Amino acid sequence: MDIAIIGKEEFTLGFRLVGISNIIDITDEENPTEQFKTLLSSKDTAIIITDDTTMNVLDERTRDDVESSVQPVVLTLSTETS
């Protein structure tokens, strides 16, 4: 089972440095909906880690699918600083 990381390069960089290889970098112009759908349907992905900025770009239906997913588990990390 794999861990997948999806987000902008500044979010994914730390995960890349610790050796996670299943990383999807997205750009400001790119909508990650298709990448999320692929990861959600993958039998090899156990955990998807993303950030709140990436989640906010998704359309409502895909975001609902991601938030309600049990397998794979989806973790959304906050990128806000206080």
Coordinates of all heavy atoms in Angstrom, one line a residue:
M1 N 0.8 -1.2 0.0 CA 0.0 0.0 0.0 C 0.9 1.2 0.0 O 1.9 1.3 0.7 CB -0.9 0.0 1.2 CG -2.0 -1.1 1.2 SD -3.0 -0.9 -0.2 CE -4.6 -1.1 0.5
D2 N 0.4 2.2 -0.7 CA 1.2 3.5 -1.0 C 0.6 4.6 -0.2 O -0.5 4.7 0.1 CB 1.1 3.8 -2.5 CG 2.4 3.8 -3.2 OD1 3.4 3.6 -2.5 OD2 2.4 3.9 -4.4
I3 N 1.5 5.6 0.0 CA 1.1 6.9 0.5 C 1.3 7.9 -0.7 O 2.3 7.9 -1.4 CB 2.0 7.4 1.6 CG1 1.8 6.5 2.9 CG2 1.7 8.9 2.0 CD1 2.8 6.8 4.0
A4 N 0.3 8.7 -1.0 CA 0.3 9.6 -2.1 C 0.2 11.0 -1.5 O -0.6 11.3 -0.6 CB -0.8 9.4 -3.1
I5 N 1.0 11.9 -2.1 CA 0.9 13.3 -1.7 C 0.5 14.1 -3.0 O 1.0 13.9 -4.1 CB 2.3 13.8 -1.3 CG1 3.0 12.9 -0.3 CG2 2.3 15.2 -0.7 CD1 2.2 12.6 1.0
I6 N -0.4 15.1 -2.8 CA -0.8 15.9 -3.9 C -1.0 17.3 -3.4 O -1.6 17.6 -2.4 CB -2.2 15.4 -4.5 CG1 -2.5 16.2 -5.7 CG2 -3.3 15.3 -3.5 CD1 -3.6 15.6 -6.6
G7 N -0.4 18.2 -4.2 CA -0.4 19.7 -3.9 C 0.6 20.4 -4.6 O 1.3 19.9 -5.5
K8 N 0.8 21.7 -4.3 CA 1.8 22.5 -5.0 C 3.1 22.1 -4.5 O 3.3 21.5 -3.4 CB 1.5 24.0 -4.6 CG 0.2 24.5 -5.3 CD 0.1 26.0 -5.0 CE -1.2 26.5 -5.6 NZ -1.5 27.9 -5.3
E9 N 4.1 22.5 -5.3 CA 5.5 22.0 -5.0 C 6.0 22.4 -3.6 O 6.7 21.6 -2.9 CB 6.5 22.5 -6.1 CG 7.9 22.0 -5.9 CD 8.8 22.4 -7.1 OE1 8.4 23.2 -7.9 OE2 9.9 21.9 -7.1
E10 N 5.7 23.6 -3.1 CA 6.1 24.0 -1.8 C 5.5 23.2 -0.7 O 6.1 23.0 0.4 CB 5.9 25.5 -1.6 CG 4.5 26.0 -1.7 CD 4.1 26.5 -3.1 OE1 4.8 26.3 -4.0 OE2 3.0 27.1 -3.2
F11 N 4.3 22.6 -0.9 CA 3.7 21.6 0.0 C 4.4 20.3 -0.1 O 4.6 19.6 1.0 CB 2.2 21.6 -0.2 CG 1.5 20.5 0.7 CD1 1.3 20.8 2.0 CD2 1.1 19.3 0.1 CE1 0.7 19.8 2.8 CE2 0.5 18.4 0.9 CZ 0.3 18.6 2.3
T12 N 4.6 19.8 -1.3 CA 5.1 18.4 -1.5 C 6.6 18.2 -1.2 O 7.0 17.1 -1.0 CB 4.7 17.9 -2.9 OG1 5.4 18.7 -3.8 CG2 3.2 17.9 -3.1
L13 N 7.3 19.3 -1.2 CA 8.8 19.2 -1.1 C 9.3 18.4 0.1 O 10.1 17.5 0.0 CB 9.4 20.6 -1.1 CG 11.0 20.6 -1.0 CD1 11.6 19.9 -2.2 CD2 11.4 22.1 -0.9
G14 N 8.8 18.7 1.2 CA 9.2 18.0 2.5 C 8.9 16.5 2.4 O 9.7 15.7 2.8
F15 N 7.8 16.1 1.8 CA 7.5 14.7 1.7 C 8.5 14.0 0.7 O 8.9 12.9 0.9 CB 6.0 14.5 1.2 CG 5.0 15.0 2.2 CD1 4.4 16.2 2.0 CD2 4.7 14.3 3.3 CE1 3.5 16.7 2.9 CE2 3.8 14.7 4.2 CZ 3.1 15.9 4.0
R16 N 8.8 14.7 -0.3 CA 9.8 14.2 -1.3 C 11.1 14.0 -0.6 O 11.8 13.0 -0.8 CB 9.9 15.2 -2.5 CG 10.8 14.7 -3.6 CD 10.9 15.7 -4.7 NE 9.6 16.3 -5.2 CZ 8.8 15.7 -6.1 NH1 9.1 14.5 -6.6 NH2 7.7 16.3 -6.4
L17 N 11.5 14.9 0.3 CA 12.8 14.8 1.0 C 12.9 13.6 1.9 O 14.0 13.1 2.2 CB 13.1 16.1 1.7 CG 13.4 17.4 0.9 CD1 13.5 18.6 1.7 CD2 14.7 17.2 0.1
V18 N 11.8 13.2 2.5 CA 11.8 12.1 3.4 C 11.6 10.7 2.6 O 11.6 9.7 3.2 CB 10.7 12.2 4.5 CG1 11.0 13.3 5.4 CG2 9.3 12.2 4.0
G19 N 11.5 10.8 1.3 CA 11.5 9.6 0.5 C 10.2 9.1 0.0 O 10.2 8.0 -0.6
I20 N 9.2 9.8 0.1 CA 7.9 9.4 -0.5 C 8.0 9.6 -2.0 O 8.3 10.7 -2.4 CB 6.7 10.2 0.2 CG1 6.6 9.8 1.6 CG2 5.4 9.8 -0.6 CD1 5.5 10.5 2.4
S21 N 7.7 8.6 -2.7 CA 7.9 8.7 -4.2 C 6.6 9.0 -5.0 O 6.6 9.5 -6.1 CB 8.5 7.4 -4.7 OG 7.7 6.3 -4.4
N22 N 5.4 8.7 -4.4 CA 4.2 8.9 -5.1 C 3.7 10.3 -4.8 O 2.8 10.5 -4.0 CB 3.1 7.9 -4.7 CG 1.9 7.9 -5.6 OD1 1.8 8.6 -6.5 ND2 0.9 7.1 -5.2
I23 N 4.2 11.3 -5.6 CA 4.0 12.7 -5.3 C 3.4 13.3 -6.6 O 4.0 13.1 -7.7 CB 5.2 13.4 -4.9 CG1 5.6 12.9 -3.5 CG2 5.0 14.9 -4.8 CD1 6.8 13.5 -2.9
I24 N 2.3 14.0 -6.5 CA 1.7 14.7 -7.7 C 1.8 16.2 -7.4 O 1.1 16.7 -6.5 CB 0.3 14.3 -7.9 CG1 0.2 12.8 -8.1 CG2 -0.3 15.1 -9.1 CD1 -1.2 12.2 -8.1
D25 N 2.7 16.9 -8.1 CA 2.8 18.4 -8.0 C 1.8 19.0 -8.9 O 1.7 18.6 -10.1 CB 4.2 18.8 -8.4 CG 5.2 18.5 -7.3 OD1 4.9 18.5 -6.1 OD2 6.3 18.1 -7.7
I26 N 1.0 20.0 -8.4 CA 0.1 20.7 -9.3 C 0.5 22.2 -9.4 O 1.2 22.7 -8.5 CB -1.4 20.6 -8.8 CG1 -1.5 21.1 -7.4 CG2 -1.8 19.2 -8.9 CD1 -2.9 21.3 -6.9
T27 N 0.1 22.9 -10.4 CA 0.4 24.3 -10.6 C -0.8 25.1 -10.2 O -1.9 24.6 -10.0 CB 0.8 24.6 -12.1 OG1 -0.3 24.2 -12.9 CG2 2.0 23.7 -12.5
D28 N -0.6 26.4 -10.2 CA -1.7 27.3 -9.9 C -2.9 27.2 -10.9 O -4.0 27.4 -10.6 CB -1.2 28.8 -9.9 CG -0.4 29.1 -8.6 OD1 -0.6 28.4 -7.6 OD2 0.4 30.0 -8.7
E29 N -2.5 26.9 -12.2 CA -3.5 26.9 -13.2 C -4.2 25.5 -13.3 O -5.2 25.4 -14.0 CB -2.9 27.2 -14.6 CG -2.2 28.6 -14.7 CD -0.8 28.6 -14.1 OE1 -0.1 27.6 -14.1 OE2 -0.5 29.7 -13.6
E30 N -3.7 24.5 -12.7 CA -4.1 23.2 -12.8 C -5.2 22.8 -11.8 O -5.1 23.1 -10.6 CB -2.9 22.2 -12.6 CG -3.1 20.8 -13.0 CD -1.8 20.0 -12.9 OE1 -0.8 20.6 -12.4 OE2 -1.8 18.9 -13.4
N31 N -6.2 22.1 -12.2 CA -7.3 21.6 -11.3 C -7.0 20.1 -11.1 O -6.9 19.3 -12.0 CB -8.7 21.8 -11.9 CG -9.8 21.5 -11.0 OD1 -9.7 20.5 -10.2 ND2 -10.8 22.2 -11.0
P32 N -6.8 19.8 -9.8 CA -6.3 18.4 -9.5 C -7.5 17.4 -9.4 O -7.3 16.3 -8.9 CB -5.7 18.6 -8.1 CG -6.5 19.7 -7.5 CD -6.8 20.6 -8.6
T33 N -8.6 17.7 -9.9 CA -9.8 16.8 -9.8 C -9.5 15.4 -10.4 O -9.8 14.4 -9.8 CB -11.0 17.4 -10.5 OG1 -11.4 18.6 -9.9 CG2 -12.2 16.5 -10.5
E34 N -8.9 15.3 -11.6 CA -8.7 14.0 -12.2 C -7.6 13.2 -11.4 O -7.8 12.0 -11.3 CB -8.2 14.2 -13.7 CG -9.3 14.7 -14.6 CD -10.6 13.7 -14.6 OE1 -10.4 12.5 -14.6 OE2 -11.7 14.3 -14.5
Q35 N -6.6 13.9 -10.9 CA -5.6 13.2 -10.1 C -6.2 12.6 -8.9 O -5.9 11.5 -8.5 CB -4.5 14.2 -9.8 CG -3.6 14.6 -10.9 CD -4.1 15.9 -11.6 OE1 -5.2 16.2 -11.5 NE2 -3.2 16.6 -12.2
F36 N -7.1 13.4 -8.2 CA -7.8 12.8 -7.0 C -8.7 11.6 -7.4 O -8.7 10.6 -6.7 CB -8.6 13.9 -6.3 CG -7.9 14.6 -5.3 CD1 -7.4 15.9 -5.5 CD2 -7.7 14.1 -4.0 CE1 -6.8 16.6 -4.6 CE2 -7.0 14.8 -3.1 CZ -6.5 16.1 -3.3
K37 N -9.4 11.7 -8.5 CA -10.2 10.6 -8.9 C -9.4 9.3 -9.2 O -9.8 8.2 -8.8 CB -11.0 11.0 -10.2 CG -12.2 11.9 -9.9 CD -12.9 12.3 -11.1 CE -14.0 13.3 -10.8 NZ -14.8 13.6 -12.0
T38 N -8.2 9.5 -9.8 CA -7.4 8.4 -10.1 C -6.8 7.8 -8.8 O -6.8 6.6 -8.6 CB -6.2 8.8 -10.9 OG1 -6.7 9.4 -12.2 CG2 -5.2 7.7 -11.2
L39 N -6.4 8.6 -7.8 CA -5.9 8.1 -6.5 C -7.0 7.4 -5.7 O -6.8 6.4 -5.1 CB -5.3 9.3 -5.7 CG -4.0 9.9 -6.2 CD1 -3.7 11.1 -5.4 CD2 -2.9 8.8 -6.1
L40 N -8.2 8.0 -5.8 CA -9.3 7.4 -5.0 C -9.7 6.0 -5.5 O -10.1 5.1 -4.8 CB -10.6 8.3 -5.0 CG -10.5 9.6 -4.2 CD1 -11.7 10.4 -4.4 CD2 -10.4 9.2 -2.7
S41 N -9.5 5.8 -6.8 CA -9.9 4.5 -7.4 C -8.8 3.5 -7.4 O -8.9 2.3 -7.8 CB -10.4 4.7 -8.8 OG -9.4 5.2 -9.7
S42 N -7.6 3.9 -7.0 CA -6.4 3.1 -7.0 C -6.5 2.1 -5.8 O -6.7 2.5 -4.7 CB -5.1 3.9 -6.9 OG -4.0 3.1 -6.7
K43 N -6.2 0.8 -6.1 CA -6.2 -0.2 -5.1 C -4.9 -0.2 -4.3 O -4.8 -0.7 -3.2 CB -6.4 -1.6 -5.7 CG -7.7 -1.8 -6.4 CD -8.8 -1.8 -5.5 CE -10.1 -2.1 -6.2 NZ -11.3 -1.7 -5.5
D44 N -3.9 0.5 -4.9 CA -2.5 0.5 -4.3 C -2.3 1.7 -3.3 O -1.3 1.7 -2.6 CB -1.4 0.6 -5.4 CG -1.4 -0.6 -6.2 OD1 -1.7 -1.7 -5.7 OD2 -1.1 -0.5 -7.4
T45 N -3.2 2.7 -3.3 CA -3.1 3.8 -2.4 C -3.9 3.7 -1.1 O -5.1 3.5 -1.2 CB -3.6 5.1 -3.2 OG1 -2.9 5.2 -4.4 CG2 -3.4 6.3 -2.4
A46 N -3.2 3.7 0.0 CA -3.8 3.6 1.3 C -4.1 4.9 1.9 O -5.1 5.1 2.6 CB -2.9 2.8 2.2
I47 N -3.2 5.9 1.7 CA -3.3 7.2 2.3 C -3.0 8.3 1.3 O -2.0 8.2 0.5 CB -2.3 7.4 3.5 CG1 -2.6 6.3 4.6 CG2 -2.4 8.8 4.1 CD1 -1.5 6.3 5.7
I48 N -3.8 9.3 1.3 CA -3.6 10.5 0.4 C -3.4 11.7 1.4 O -4.3 11.9 2.2 CB -4.8 10.8 -0.5 CG1 -5.0 9.6 -1.5 CG2 -4.5 12.1 -1.4 CD1 -6.3 9.7 -2.3
I49 N -2.3 12.4 1.2 CA -2.1 13.6 2.0 C -2.1 14.8 1.1 O -1.5 14.8 0.0 CB -0.8 13.5 2.8 CG1 -0.7 12.3 3.7 CG2 -0.5 14.8 3.6 CD1 0.6 12.1 4.3
T50 N -2.9 15.8 1.4 CA -3.0 17.0 0.7 C -3.1 18.2 1.6 O -3.1 18.1 2.8 CB -4.2 17.0 -0.3 OG1 -4.2 18.0 -1.2 CG2 -5.6 17.0 0.4
D51 N -3.2 19.4 1.0 CA -3.4 20.6 1.8 C -4.7 21.3 1.6 O -5.4 21.0 0.6 CB -2.2 21.6 1.6 CG -2.2 22.1 0.1 OD1 -2.5 21.3 -0.8 OD2 -1.8 23.2 -0.1
D52 N -5.1 22.2 2.5 CA -6.4 22.8 2.3 C -6.5 23.7 1.1 O -7.6 23.8 0.5 CB -6.7 23.6 3.6 CG -5.7 24.6 4.0 OD1 -4.6 24.6 3.4 OD2 -5.9 25.4 4.9
T53 N -5.4 24.2 0.6 CA -5.5 25.1 -0.6 C -5.9 24.2 -1.8 O -6.7 24.6 -2.6 CB -4.1 25.7 -0.8 OG1 -3.7 26.5 0.3 CG2 -4.1 26.6 -2.0
T54 N -5.3 23.0 -1.9 CA -5.6 22.1 -3.0 C -7.1 21.6 -2.9 O -7.7 21.5 -3.9 CB -4.6 20.9 -3.0 OG1 -3.3 21.4 -3.1 CG2 -4.9 20.0 -4.1
M55 N -7.5 21.3 -1.7 CA -8.9 20.9 -1.5 C -9.9 21.9 -1.9 O -10.9 21.6 -2.5 CB -9.1 20.5 0.0 CG -8.6 19.2 0.4 SD -9.4 17.8 -0.4 CE -10.9 17.8 0.5
N56 N -9.6 23.2 -1.7 CA -10.5 24.3 -2.0 C -10.6 24.5 -3.5 O -11.6 25.1 -4.0 CB -10.0 25.6 -1.4 CG -10.2 25.6 0.1 OD1 -11.0 24.8 0.7 ND2 -9.4 26.3 0.8
V57 N -9.7 24.0 -4.3 CA -9.8 24.1 -5.8 C -10.7 23.1 -6.4 O -11.3 23.3 -7.5 CB -8.4 23.9 -6.4 CG1 -8.4 23.9 -7.9 CG2 -7.4 25.0 -5.9
L58 N -11.0 22.0 -5.7 CA -11.8 20.9 -6.2 C -13.3 21.3 -6.3 O -13.8 22.1 -5.6 CB -11.7 19.7 -5.3 CG -10.4 19.0 -5.1 CD1 -10.5 17.9 -4.1 CD2 -9.9 18.4 -6.4
D59 N -14.0 20.7 -7.3 CA -15.4 21.0 -7.4 C -16.1 20.3 -6.2 O -15.5 19.4 -5.6 CB -15.9 20.5 -8.8 CG -15.7 19.0 -8.9 OD1 -16.5 18.2 -8.3 OD2 -14.8 18.6 -9.7
E60 N -17.3 20.7 -6.0 CA -18.0 20.2 -4.8 C -18.2 18.7 -4.7 O -18.0 18.1 -3.7 CB -19.4 20.9 -4.7 CG -20.1 20.7 -3.4 CD -21.4 21.4 -3.3 OE1 -21.6 22.4 -4.0 OE2 -22.2 21.0 -2.5
R61 N -18.5 18.1 -5.8 CA -18.8 16.7 -5.8 C -17.5 15.9 -5.5 O -17.5 15.0 -4.7 CB -19.3 16.2 -7.2 CG -19.6 14.7 -7.2 CD -20.1 14.3 -8.5 NE -20.3 12.9 -8.5 CZ -21.2 12.2 -9.2 NH1 -22.0 12.9 -10.0 NH2 -21.2 10.9 -9.2
T62 N -16.4 16.3 -6.2 CA -15.1 15.6 -5.9 C -14.7 15.8 -4.5 O -14.2 14.9 -3.8 CB -14.0 16.1 -6.9 OG1 -14.5 15.9 -8.2 CG2 -12.7 15.3 -6.7
R63 N -14.8 17.0 -4.0 CA -14.4 17.3 -2.6 C -15.3 16.5 -1.6 O -14.7 15.9 -0.7 CB -14.6 18.8 -2.3 CG -14.1 19.2 -0.9 CD -14.1 20.7 -0.6 NE -15.2 21.4 -1.2 CZ -15.1 22.4 -2.1 NH1 -14.0 22.7 -2.7 NH2 -16.2 23.0 -2.5
D64 N -16.5 16.3 -1.9 CA -17.4 15.4 -1.1 C -16.9 14.0 -1.1 O -16.8 13.3 -0.1 CB -18.8 15.5 -1.5 CG -19.5 16.8 -1.1 OD1 -19.0 17.5 -0.3 OD2 -20.6 17.0 -1.7
D65 N -16.5 13.5 -2.3 CA -16.0 12.1 -2.4 C -14.7 12.0 -1.6 O -14.5 11.0 -1.0 CB -15.7 11.8 -3.9 CG -17.0 11.6 -4.7 OD1 -18.1 11.5 -4.1 OD2 -16.9 11.7 -6.0
V66 N -13.8 13.0 -1.7 CA -12.5 12.9 -1.0 C -12.8 13.0 0.5 O -12.2 12.2 1.2 CB -11.6 14.1 -1.5 CG1 -10.4 14.2 -0.6 CG2 -11.2 14.0 -2.9
E67 N -13.6 13.9 1.0 CA -13.9 14.0 2.4 C -14.5 12.8 3.0 O -14.3 12.5 4.2 CB -14.7 15.3 2.7 CG -13.9 16.5 2.4 CD -14.7 17.8 2.5 OE1 -16.0 17.7 2.5 OE2 -14.1 18.9 2.6
S68 N -15.3 12.0 2.2 CA -16.0 10.9 2.8 C -15.3 9.6 2.5 O -15.8 8.5 2.9 CB -17.4 10.8 2.2 OG -17.4 10.6 0.8
S69 N -14.1 9.6 1.9 CA -13.4 8.4 1.5 C -12.9 7.7 2.8 O -12.3 8.3 3.7 CB -12.2 8.8 0.6 OG -11.5 7.6 0.3
V70 N -13.1 6.4 2.8 CA -12.6 5.6 3.9 C -11.4 4.8 3.4 O -10.4 4.6 4.2 CB -13.7 4.6 4.4 CG1 -13.2 3.6 5.4 CG2 -14.9 5.4 4.9
Q71 N -11.4 4.4 2.2 CA -10.3 3.7 1.6 C -10.0 4.2 0.2 O -10.9 4.0 -0.6 CB -10.5 2.2 1.5 CG -9.4 1.4 0.9 CD -8.1 1.5 1.7 OE1 -8.1 1.6 2.9 NE2 -7.0 1.4 1.0
P72 N -9.0 5.0 0.0 CA -8.0 5.4 0.9 C -8.4 6.5 1.9 O -9.3 7.2 1.6 CB -6.9 5.9 -0.1 CG -7.7 6.4 -1.2 CD -8.8 5.5 -1.4
V73 N -7.6 6.6 3.0 CA -7.8 7.6 4.0 C -7.2 8.9 3.4 O -6.1 8.9 2.8 CB -7.1 7.3 5.3 CG1 -7.2 8.4 6.3 CG2 -7.7 6.0 5.9
V74 N -7.9 10.0 3.5 CA -7.4 11.3 3.0 C -7.2 12.2 4.2 O -8.1 12.5 5.0 CB -8.4 11.9 2.0 CG1 -7.9 13.2 1.5 CG2 -8.7 11.0 0.8
L75 N -6.0 12.7 4.3 CA -5.6 13.7 5.3 C -5.4 15.0 4.7 O -4.6 15.1 3.7 CB -4.3 13.3 6.0 CG -4.3 11.9 6.7 CD1 -2.9 11.5 7.2 CD2 -5.3 11.9 7.9
T76 N -6.1 16.0 5.2 CA -5.9 17.4 4.7 C -5.2 18.2 5.8 O -5.7 18.4 6.9 CB -7.3 18.0 4.4 OG1 -8.0 17.2 3.5 CG2 -7.1 19.4 3.8
L77 N -4.1 18.7 5.4 CA -3.3 19.5 6.3 C -3.5 21.0 6.1 O -3.6 21.4 4.9 CB -1.8 19.2 6.2 CG -1.4 17.7 6.4 CD1 0.1 17.5 6.2 CD2 -1.8 17.2 7.8
S78 N -3.5 21.8 7.1 CA -3.7 23.2 7.0 C -2.4 23.9 6.7 O -1.3 23.5 7.2 CB -4.2 23.8 8.3 OG -4.3 25.2 8.2
T79 N -2.4 24.8 5.7 CA -1.2 25.6 5.4 C -1.2 27.0 6.0 O -0.3 27.8 5.7 CB -1.0 25.6 3.9 OG1 -2.1 26.2 3.3 CG2 -0.7 24.2 3.3
E80 N -2.2 27.3 6.8 CA -2.3 28.6 7.4 C -1.3 28.8 8.5 O -1.0 27.8 9.2 CB -3.7 28.8 7.9 CG -4.7 29.0 6.9 CD -6.1 29.3 7.5 OE1 -6.1 29.9 8.6 OE2 -7.1 29.0 6.9
T81 N -0.7 30.0 8.6 CA 0.2 30.3 9.7 C -0.5 31.3 10.6 O -1.3 32.1 10.1 CB 1.5 30.8 9.2 OG1 1.3 32.0 8.4 CG2 2.3 29.8 8.3
S82 N -0.2 31.2 11.8 CA -0.9 32.1 12.8 C 0.0 33.3 13.2 O 1.1 33.4 12.9 CB -1.4 31.4 14.0 OG -0.4 30.6 14.5

